[in-house]
């Protein structure tokens, strides 16, 4: 089990949070996604390590940006 925290920019509402959770949740091995709108922090629990590029692509698909 692995937990990783990312910062996502551009989210402004509950719909944004839902979109990010849905797209990251589609990644193989992801078991849960928790998004804090105020801080932009996204905590992802997964069965193993995730590739940052895969998470960035999911966030991009949702319409937002994964910050470095």
């Amino acid at each position: 089990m692995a937990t990783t925290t990312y910062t996502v920019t551009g989210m402004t509402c509950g719909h944004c949070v839902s979109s990010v959770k849905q797209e990251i949740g589609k990644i193989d091995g992801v078991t849960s996604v928790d998004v804090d709108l105020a801080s932009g922090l996204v905590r992802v629990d997964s069965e193993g390590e995730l590739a940052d590029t895969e998470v960035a692509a999911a966030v991009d698909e949702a319409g937002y940006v994964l910050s470095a």
Side-chain angles (χ1 to χ4, degrees), residues 42-57:
V42 178
R43 194 182 103 226
V44 180
D45 293 328
S46 58
E47 295 170 354
E49 295 297 320
L50 300 174
D52 288 342
T53 54
E54 194 171 19
V55 176

Side-chain angles (χ1 to χ4, degrees), residues 8 15-24 56-65:
V8 175
H15 175 60
C16 301
V17 169
S18 294
S19 295
V20 169
K21 286 177 80 169
Q22 181 179 12
E23 291 300 326
I24 293 176
V59 170
D60 183 64
E61 182 66 27
Y64 307 98
V65 178

